[in-house]
Amino acid sequence: MTLAEIPRPIAPAGELTGRSILRTVGVLAGVLVVVAALCASIGQQGWMWPWASPARLARVAAAMTVGAALAVAGATLQSLLRNGLADPYVLGVSGGAGVGVLAGIVIFGGATWAGRTGAAAIGAGATMGIVYLIAQRRGRLDAYSLLLSGVIINTLAAAIMATLYLFAQPGELKLYINWSLGSIPDAPAGDLLGVCAAATGAGWLWLAARGQAFNVQSLGDDVATSSGIHLTSLRLQTFCLAGVLTAAAVALAGPVGFVGLIVPHVCRMILGADHRRLILAAGFIGAIFLVAADTFCRSTVLQFGQELPVGVVTSFVGAPFFLFLLRRRLREGYL
Amino acid sequence: MSAAAPILAVEGLRFAYAGGPEVLTGVDLTAARGELLCILGPNGSGKSTLLKCLLGLLEPAAGKVELAGKPRRRYGALALARILSYVPQSTRVAFSFTVEQVVMMGRTPHMNRLGLSGELDRRVAAAAMEMTGVTGLASRPLESLSGGEQQTVMITRALAQQPQLMLLDEPTSHLDVRHQLDIYALMAKLAHEWGMAVVCVSHDVNMAARFADRLVLLSNGRPAAAGAPAEVIRAEVLASVYQVEVRLADVGLGVPMVVVGEGKEKLEK
């Protein structure tokens, strides 16, 4: 008697179907549209129709892109590295971008926004290449060595930046610090926004389609391989795409903190660990979260005398909410 | 046991880690559907390396590994996963998956390109859970279960893969005696009642002798003895392989119990 011959029509109740995933996507997309429209209509001078200000719409789109990119990169990297503490910057992207920007400011006086974006992209690309070369062995990527080389390259980048501080003027340092806290630009260049949004969307969908492979690789390399998963290819795809997503976010807004670390955890706590839904949901929830946080930054300029960096707001809002979820899970007896 | 064609046939298998001495020095073994084969041997005798070669995680230097009459190399990853599944010694899952989710992961090689399950996948997973008795745990997170339950779930996952051959790497090494007994009984059931070939690497000579249809005793990377438990469980064979004094006691289980006496050093004095 084989398994399939045994008549047991009872399906596992919790197994995801295409329909249940689509339902989640529908609900989250609806919430995102409502939140984005609401946020686009809030300004310093009160309410206005969302389409009345194209610049503000662009800023909302930029915030959505950055939030989705960081959350998806964080979710997939945490899974790939089997480590809940991983965030999008663990591959050295932020460190490299930081060196690029600081060097641009100090050496070339590259104070324009476009110059900073270019310097960030070059720095991020270079460090990712170095991290890959260190971590790979004959083309195969090992999760642990990837994590380690990312951490070490970030440390090295911090040392380079500390050296550059010594040669920086106070004004240049202030410029760098503002960039490093991460903020959504007020009038993002249309081309850059388009490229980053397209890259984010493509990377997001590609990674989401690999959801079941991420699920199985959580059980360990040997089980994943014996389930027919090409681990080398999965790792390479994740490394490259998470890198592209992170670089897109950093190019648009600088290294915004917290979103990429916390949003995946929040999604897991609410929706469970199944990556087929998690990766899709993380993109939406990241976008919703960052649009809301950025709107708060925009609309409180007068109260604070200057715009708060969005990275600061995400931490202030995200940390207590995360602790609330954490405590609830601990009370239920497990993490 | 049925005299069916072997699902697994290994011949003259050799393997050495880069720059090291040969770990496997010529292994021959077969496993047929409907039988439980246990691979025994001291630490460093090549048991785990052999299993990794069978799984394709290591590429043997020489020899052949055939699955269902076809060289293992000729299978694609998915085709291989549909006839062979694997249960590790222990599993530490990075995130909180429920028992049901873990069992459904066994259906991965059968799912569509987006990794979504169909009606058959869900039916097979439910049947597998029913067979191993974990249906009641379905919505519990894996990490909240005891070691024995977790191992049963991992076997259920491998079962849901619907393989013809299941490989297990010391599945009872972290379990108490009661759960060791349960797991061995389950492996025997998989082989005898559901017609699977089950190959289990084991450290427990007595459990293996009691439940397995055949034993392979590895020593220095090659089989020192192979055959029915009564042929392998002989005091002089075990004594030379494990380098200990061995006594056999008949306790009415059908196979003698192995009792270990003094170690090699004392014997030499």
Side-chain angles (χ1 to χ4, degrees), chain B residues 169-218:
Chain B
D169 187 9
E170 296 178 30
T172 59
S173 55
H174 299 298
L175 306 185
D176 65 36
V177 282
R178 162 71 201 281
H179 288 100
Q180 289 180 20
L181 203 63
D182 289 348
I183 296 290
Y184 271 94
L186 179 59
M187 289 193 291
K189 199 168 149 191
L190 291 179
H192 300 156
E193 290 181 27
W194 302 326
M196 208 174 278
V198 181
V199 175
C200 172
V201 164
S202 172
H203 263 307
D204 193 325
V205 180
N206 284 319
M207 281 290 184
R210 194 168 145 197
F211 285 94
D213 302 297
R214 284 194 304 124
L215 299 176
V216 172
L217 180 60
L218 283 189

Side-chain angles (χ1 to χ4, degrees), chain B residues 95-170:
Chain B
F95 301 105
S96 180
F97 287 99
T98 64
V99 166
E100 192 173 83
Q101 284 173 326
V102 171
V103 174
M104 279 304 297
M105 287 180 204
R107 297 303 299 166
T108 306
H110 304 271
M111 288 177 178
N112 68 15
R113 293 191 63 141
L114 289 176
L116 293 174
S117 55
E119 159 70 22
L120 178 69
D121 296 315
R122 272 166 261 145
R123 215 155 55 81
V124 170
M129 288 198 286
E130 195 70 13
M131 281 176 175
T132 57
V134 297
T135 307
L137 305 173
S139 55
R140 295 264 304 274
L142 185 71
E143 73 273 14
S144 74
L145 305 182
S146 74
E149 288 168 332
Q150 286 192 20
Q151 202 54 285
T152 310
V153 170
M154 290 308 286
I155 292 177
T156 314
R157 187 211 66 84
L159 179 62
Q161 210 168 321
Q162 275 184 301
Q164 299 177 45
L165 169 66
M166 192 187 287
L167 300 176
L168 302 97
D169 187 9
E170 296 178 30

Side-chain angles (χ1 to χ4, degrees), chain A residues 69-192:
Chain A
L70 291 177
V72 171
T76 49
L77 285 174
Q78 285 174 3
S79 171
L80 183 80
L81 304 172
R82 294 195 197 107
N83 192 323
L85 291 177
D87 74 358
Y89 306 127
V90 78
L91 298 180
V93 171
S94 65
V99 170
V101 169
L102 192 57
I105 293 173
V106 172
I107 300 169
F108 306 110
T112 66
W113 187 73
R116 263 173 289 168
T117 304
I122 293 168
T127 36
M128 277 198 58
I130 295 170
V131 167
Y132 173 77
L133 287 177
I134 296 173
Q136 61 88 33
R137 224 180 96 229
R138 288 195 222 105
R140 294 172 86 127
L141 278 177
D142 172 64
Y144 189 63
S145 51
L146 200 55
L147 186 63
L148 257 172
S149 52
V151 168
I152 285 164
I153 291 298
N154 267 334
T155 313
L156 189 64
I160 296 174
M161 283 189 276
T163 314
L164 286 170
Y165 290 158
L166 300 175
F167 301 99
Q169 306 299 319
E172 293 171 342
L173 266 185
K174 182 109 196 316
L175 207 58
Y176 170 74
I177 288 168
N178 279 344
W179 175 86
S180 72
L181 291 173
S183 358
I184 309 294
D186 214 8
D191 301 352
L192 180 72

Side-chain angles (χ1 to χ4, degrees), chain B residues 77-92:
Chain B
L78 273 183
L80 192 65
R82 287 184 193 133
I83 64 167
L84 183 158
S85 69
Y86 170 68
V87 178
Q89 200 173 100
S90 64
T91 307
R92 203 190 69 83

Side-chain angles (χ1 to χ4, degrees), chain A residues 6 8 10 14-15 212 226 276, chain B residues 100 108 115 117 123 126 131:
Chain A
I6 293 176
R8 285 264 343 157
I10 308 159
E15 167 64 7
Q212 184 65 6
S226 70
R276 290 172 292 180
Chain B
E100 192 173 83
T108 306
S117 55
R123 215 155 55 81
M131 281 176 175

